Amino acid sequence: AKRIVGASYFPGKLNKIFADYFIEAGINVLDMQGVDVPFGKVQTLASTEIYRFIKKMFLAQRKVDAIYMLGPAWRTLDIIEPLEQDLGVPVVHHLPAQAWEIMKRLHVRQPIEGRGRLLREMP
């Protein structure tokens, strides 16, 4: 993926720092925004609200290769697969990526359905 949009639950300054990290790695960050929610309330935010937030950001751009969801605290595993199907691009999120890495290091190939392309295909 060379062109991404990113969503988080962090304020603007932190999103810029994360976006700059990707830019330095050669990835074009088209947008990196945080959902306006107090940090202590992140886990209470409905995944459907996050879905709408990400979809709106995605549709405001052109030629997005992937979506990056920053932050392990929000409960969004249920929207990864629907976002991928709806928008036609992979979604990278901390929890599935970490699960994939652990399974890879342990040489376990156990595809998981319904949690996105990364865990379903286990590349």
Side-chain angles (χ1 to χ4, degrees):
K2 291 294 182 184
R3 298 168 51 95
I4 68 168
V5 294
S8 78
Y9 43 78
F10 299 113
K13 185 177 179 180
L14 278 175
N15 288 314
K16 178 164 178 10
I17 291 169
F18 287 114
D20 289 345
Y21 172 82
F22 284 111
I23 291 166
E24 287 178 26
I27 297 171
N28 187 2
V29 179
L30 303 173
D31 199 0
M32 177 77 80
Q33 293 183 35
V35 175
D36 187 20
V37 61
F39 188 76
K41 301 283 185 180
V42 169
Q43 291 183 342
T44 65
L45 189 62
S47 61
T48 53
E49 291 180 48
I50 299 164
Y51 187 103
R52 282 192 292 273
F53 178 81
I54 291 172
K55 185 171 182 176
K56 181 179 178 184
M57 190 176 12
F58 178 90
L59 293 174
Q61 302 299 324
R62 294 185 168 264
K63 298 183 182 178
V64 177
D65 298 327
I67 296 166
Y68 175 63
M69 294 173 58
L70 173 63
W74 52 15
R75 298 172 188 243
T76 53
L77 287 176
D78 63 320
I79 65 168
I80 294 171
E81 185 94 13
L83 274 170
E84 288 182 339
Q85 291 174 358
D86 189 14
L87 303 177
V89 298
V91 174
V92 178
H93 182 266
H94 170 82
L95 296 175
Q98 188 176 41
W100 175 87
E101 180 183 13
I102 290 167
M103 287 191 281
K104 182 176 178 176
R105 288 176 186 253
L106 295 175
H107 304 283
V108 173
R109 189 176 192 298
Q110 184 66 45
I112 301 169
E113 291 293 326
R115 298 296 184 222
R117 179 178 167 189
L118 183 64
L119 291 179
R120 183 181 63 253
E121 296 179 5
M122 293 296 297

